[in-house]
Protein backbone atom coordinates (compact mmCIF):
# COMPACT_ATOMS: atom_id res chain seq x y z
CA UNK A 1 0.00 0.00 0.00
CA UNK A 2 1.42 3.39 -1.01
CA UNK A 3 1.56 6.08 1.64
CA UNK A 4 0.59 9.68 0.99
CA UNK A 5 3.18 12.19 2.20
CA UNK A 6 1.04 14.67 4.11
CA UNK A 7 4.01 17.00 4.59
CA UNK A 8 4.77 17.34 0.89
CA UNK A 9 3.92 20.65 -0.71
CA UNK A 10 1.97 21.11 -3.90
CA UNK A 11 3.57 19.97 -7.13
CA UNK A 12 5.32 22.56 -9.31
CA UNK A 13 3.11 24.49 -11.69
CA UNK A 14 4.18 24.44 -15.33
CA UNK A 15 2.33 26.94 -17.48
CA UNK A 16 1.66 26.13 -21.13
CA UNK A 17 3.64 27.78 -23.89
CA UNK A 18 2.57 31.40 -24.26
CA UNK A 19 1.81 32.19 -27.92
CA UNK A 20 3.10 35.73 -27.37
CA UNK A 21 6.63 34.32 -27.01
CA UNK A 22 6.70 33.38 -30.70
CA UNK A 23 5.79 36.95 -31.67
CA UNK A 24 8.65 38.31 -29.58
CA UNK A 25 10.98 35.78 -31.21
CA UNK A 26 9.89 37.23 -34.56
CA UNK A 27 10.75 40.75 -33.36
CA UNK A 28 7.26 42.12 -32.65
CA UNK A 29 6.94 45.25 -30.52
CA UNK A 30 5.60 44.73 -26.97
CA UNK A 31 2.56 47.00 -27.44
CA UNK A 32 1.57 45.06 -30.57
CA UNK A 33 1.94 41.76 -28.75
CA UNK A 34 -0.19 43.01 -25.85
CA UNK A 35 -2.89 43.99 -28.34
CA UNK A 36 -2.75 40.51 -29.91
CA UNK A 37 -2.49 38.65 -26.58
CA UNK A 38 -3.88 40.78 -23.73
CA UNK A 39 -4.06 37.66 -21.56
CA UNK A 40 -0.32 37.03 -21.88
CA UNK A 41 1.92 37.47 -18.81
CA UNK A 42 5.05 37.62 -20.96
CA UNK A 43 3.53 40.36 -23.13
CA UNK A 44 2.80 42.57 -20.13
CA UNK A 45 6.14 41.81 -18.46
CA UNK A 46 7.98 42.70 -21.66
CA UNK A 47 5.95 45.90 -22.05
CA UNK A 48 6.82 46.84 -18.44
CA UNK A 49 10.51 46.12 -19.06
CA UNK A 50 10.49 48.19 -22.24
CA UNK A 51 8.83 51.08 -20.39
CA UNK A 52 11.33 50.86 -17.53
CA UNK A 53 14.29 50.68 -19.90
CA UNK A 54 12.98 53.70 -21.84
CA UNK A 55 12.81 55.76 -18.64
CA UNK A 56 9.04 55.69 -18.16
CA UNK A 57 7.59 56.87 -14.90
CA UNK A 58 7.64 54.20 -12.17
CA UNK A 59 3.84 54.37 -11.97
CA UNK A 60 3.60 53.29 -15.61
CA UNK A 61 5.93 50.35 -15.00
CA UNK A 62 3.91 49.48 -11.90
CA UNK A 63 0.65 49.52 -13.88
CA UNK A 64 1.97 47.31 -16.70
CA UNK A 65 3.55 44.85 -14.30
CA UNK A 66 0.39 44.70 -12.16
CA UNK A 67 -1.68 43.76 -15.21
CA UNK A 68 0.88 41.06 -16.04
CA UNK A 69 0.77 39.81 -12.47
CA UNK A 70 -3.03 39.55 -12.43
CA UNK A 71 -3.12 37.89 -15.86
CA UNK A 72 -0.55 35.47 -14.48
CA UNK A 73 -2.67 34.59 -11.47
CA UNK A 74 -5.57 33.80 -13.78
CA UNK A 75 -3.37 31.56 -15.91
CA UNK A 76 -1.76 29.86 -12.90
CA UNK A 77 -5.17 29.01 -11.44
CA UNK A 78 -6.40 27.62 -14.76
CA UNK A 79 -3.37 25.33 -14.72
CA UNK A 80 -3.88 23.82 -11.28
CA UNK A 81 -2.09 26.27 -9.00
CA UNK A 82 -3.86 26.54 -5.62
CA UNK A 83 -2.43 29.85 -4.41
CA UNK A 84 1.01 28.63 -3.40
CA UNK A 85 3.72 26.26 -4.41
CA UNK A 86 6.65 26.22 -6.79
CA UNK A 87 6.56 27.91 -10.19
CA UNK A 88 9.98 26.92 -11.54
CA UNK A 89 12.14 29.47 -13.38
CA UNK A 90 13.70 26.73 -15.49
CA UNK A 91 10.32 26.10 -17.16
CA UNK A 92 10.41 28.83 -19.83
CA UNK A 93 6.61 29.49 -20.00
CA UNK A 94 6.65 30.37 -16.26
CA UNK A 95 9.01 33.27 -16.84
CA UNK A 96 6.33 35.76 -17.90
CA UNK A 97 4.68 35.42 -14.49
CA UNK A 98 7.96 35.51 -12.61
CA UNK A 99 9.22 38.55 -14.53
CA UNK A 100 5.91 40.40 -14.00
CA UNK A 101 6.05 39.63 -10.29
CA UNK A 102 9.65 40.86 -10.00
CA UNK A 103 8.82 44.03 -11.92
CA UNK A 104 5.80 44.62 -9.71
CA UNK A 105 8.01 44.27 -6.64
CA UNK A 106 10.64 46.65 -7.99
CA UNK A 107 8.17 49.27 -9.19
CA UNK A 108 6.24 49.06 -5.92
CA UNK A 109 9.45 49.81 -4.05
CA UNK A 110 10.18 52.68 -6.47
CA UNK A 111 6.83 54.36 -5.74
CA UNK A 112 7.17 53.88 -1.98
CA UNK A 113 4.76 50.96 -1.64
CA UNK A 114 6.90 49.11 0.91
CA UNK A 115 4.34 46.51 1.94
CA UNK A 116 3.75 45.57 -1.72
CA UNK A 117 7.51 45.35 -2.33
CA UNK A 118 7.90 43.00 0.63
CA UNK A 119 4.89 40.86 -0.29
CA UNK A 120 5.85 40.52 -3.96
CA UNK A 121 9.55 39.89 -3.37
CA UNK A 122 8.68 37.21 -0.79
CA UNK A 123 6.11 35.69 -3.17
CA UNK A 124 8.79 35.55 -5.88
CA UNK A 125 11.28 33.89 -3.52
CA UNK A 126 8.65 31.36 -2.41
CA UNK A 127 7.59 30.63 -5.99
CA UNK A 128 11.08 30.28 -7.43
CA UNK A 129 14.31 30.91 -5.54
CA UNK A 130 16.13 30.77 -8.88
CA UNK A 131 13.91 33.53 -10.30
CA UNK A 132 14.44 35.59 -7.17
CA UNK A 133 18.20 35.26 -7.52
CA UNK A 134 18.08 36.07 -11.23
CA UNK A 135 15.66 39.00 -11.07
CA UNK A 136 16.03 40.55 -7.61
CA UNK A 137 19.09 38.97 -6.01
Amino acid sequence: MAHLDLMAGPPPTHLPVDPAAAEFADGAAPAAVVRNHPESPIAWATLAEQARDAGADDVTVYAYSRVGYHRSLDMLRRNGWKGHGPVPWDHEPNRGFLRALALLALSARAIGETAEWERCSEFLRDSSPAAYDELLG
Side-chain angles (χ1 to χ4, degrees):
M1 179 170 154
H3 294 281
L4 179 63
D5 183 355
L6 298 177
M7 298 303 288
T13 300
H14 293 99
L15 293 174
V17 172
D18 189 329
E23 291 189 31
F24 285 122
D26 290 340
V33 178
V34 164
R35 284 183 184 92
N36 292 336
H37 303 282
E39 74 290 347
S40 167
I42 196 170
W44 287 101
T46 303
L47 186 63
E49 289 168 344
Q50 179 189 49
R52 178 200 60 202
D53 295 348
D57 181 89
D58 294 322
V59 172
T60 300
V61 178
Y62 180 89
Y64 291 156
S65 58
R66 180 158 280 291
V67 172
Y69 166 74
H70 281 284
R71 292 298 190 142
S72 298
L73 294 178
D74 294 341
M75 188 174 286
L76 285 164
R77 289 182 187 114
R78 282 193 307 271
N79 285 278
W81 185 74
K82 303 293 186 209
H84 67 284
V87 183
W89 174 254
D90 63 352
H91 181 68
E92 188 76 29
N94 289 348
R95 290 186 179 188
F97 157 64
L98 297 166
R99 287 170 43 206
L101 181 56
L103 285 159
L104 180 58
L106 291 169
S107 58
R109 182 175 66 184
I111 65 171
E113 183 70 37
T114 304
E116 181 86 338
W117 151 253
E118 291 170 355
R119 183 185 66 78
C120 290
S121 59
E122 183 177 323
F123 184 14
L124 182 64
R125 184 182 302 116
D126 291 346
S127 297
S128 174
Y132 181 89
D133 291 345
E134 179 74 22
L135 302 169
L136 297 183

